[in-house]
Amino acid sequence: VEVHERLSRHFDGRFEFRGVRPGDYFVSAAAFGYIQRYFGQTADDLPEVTVHVAAGGTTSAADMRLARAGAISGRVFSDAGDGLAGVEIELVRRRYLPGGVRPVAIAFAQTEELGVFRIGNVAPGEYYVRAYASESIRPTRADKSLAYTATFFPDATAVEGTQPLVIGSGQELFGIDFSLATVKMRAVSGRLLDPAGRSLATATVQMMGNGAL
């Protein structure tokens, strides 16, 4: 429930909602150049806490501390050392999920002319930068069996093979420059049979990635 139309702000950072109906509410704060936070949330991957408003009562101490937003910028290069435009960029962070800690993409960008990219509004913490190109962007070498593969900064193809980037409050990391790795394309073949051992000539077969970073 939004009640910001009854919000009173003060120059010293204090705020006050008036005329609020009894109940439980989420309270969030946002400001230009800062990371949005909910009351009770001390990190991006931690839950917010509701504020209880009792009938005829006053709820105080709903204090929040905002961290300055940071940024990460750099360039992505081809196998020939040229900047590549149109490459997708992911900002990846490890998060607690059912089953354990897993890397999750939390922000996205796309390289522009000369392969330049920038991701803003980044909260303090540890991150990985991952780049991948569409099938239409091909390596420059004459070997047609080569293709670009998803690459983590600075030169790994899996998150386990690289070190995280650490960004502080309000910090901008420049020079996150790296080249897309190339791999040999392979063929996968097989035969599909029914329970009686007969070939299924009209069946559709699909191959999908397992979603691992």
Side-chain angles (χ1 to χ4, degrees):
V1 178
E2 294 187 1
V3 293
H4 57 268
E5 68 274 6
R6 297 189 287 273
L7 171 63
S8 175
R9 300 181 180 89
H10 303 267
F11 289 108
D12 61 356
R14 292 184 298 117
F15 63 91
E16 184 180 68
F17 291 96
R18 297 182 179 180
V20 179
R21 294 179 180 177
D24 294 319
Y25 295 86
F26 294 111
V27 180
S28 70
F32 180 77
Y34 292 82
I35 301 298
Q36 181 179 8
R37 277 284 186 262
Y38 282 83
F39 172 69
Q41 188 181 36
T42 57
D44 287 346
D45 54 354
L46 294 179
E48 61 273 18
V49 177
T50 58
V51 174
H52 180 71
V53 178
T58 299
T59 302
S60 59
D63 299 340
M64 291 170 284
R65 184 183 297 275
L66 299 185
R68 288 188 176 274
I72 295 175
S73 59
R75 296 178 66 190
V76 176
F77 300 100
S78 71
D79 56 320
D82 301 318
L84 272 178
V87 175
E88 303 298 329
I89 304 294
E90 294 178 339
L91 188 64
V92 177
R93 190 171 192 178
R94 292 187 183 274
R95 284 193 163 171
Y96 291 94
L97 299 173
V101 179
R102 293 188 58 187
V104 177
I106 63 167
F108 305 87
Q110 189 178 73
T111 59
E112 301 175 357
E113 188 178 2
L114 303 179
V116 174
F117 72 89
R118 185 178 187 274
I119 300 177
N121 202 37
V122 180
E126 294 186 350
Y127 298 91
Y128 305 88
V129 175
R130 179 179 184 251
Y132 62 94
S134 66
E135 294 183 2
S136 62
I137 301 177
R138 308 289 300 175
T140 60
R141 280 176 280 180
D143 188 346
K144 300 302 181 182
S145 67
L146 290 177
Y148 287 122
T149 189
T151 309
F152 285 89
F153 173 84
D155 57 3
T157 56
V159 69
E160 290 78 11
T162 188
Q163 294 294 318
L165 298 170
V166 181
I167 186 167
S169 178
Q171 181 184 9
E172 176 152 4
L173 297 183
F174 299 95
I176 308 303
D177 304 339
F178 59 112
S179 298
L180 281 179
T182 58
V183 294
K184 282 249 184 202
M185 291 186 291
R186 305 294 182 181
V188 177
S189 61
R191 186 183 177 198
L192 191 63
L193 305 175
D194 67 11
R198 295 185 293 267
S199 296
L200 292 173
T202 60
T204 299
V205 179
Q206 295 178 321
M207 186 170 68
M208 297 169 287
N210 63 6
L213 292 180

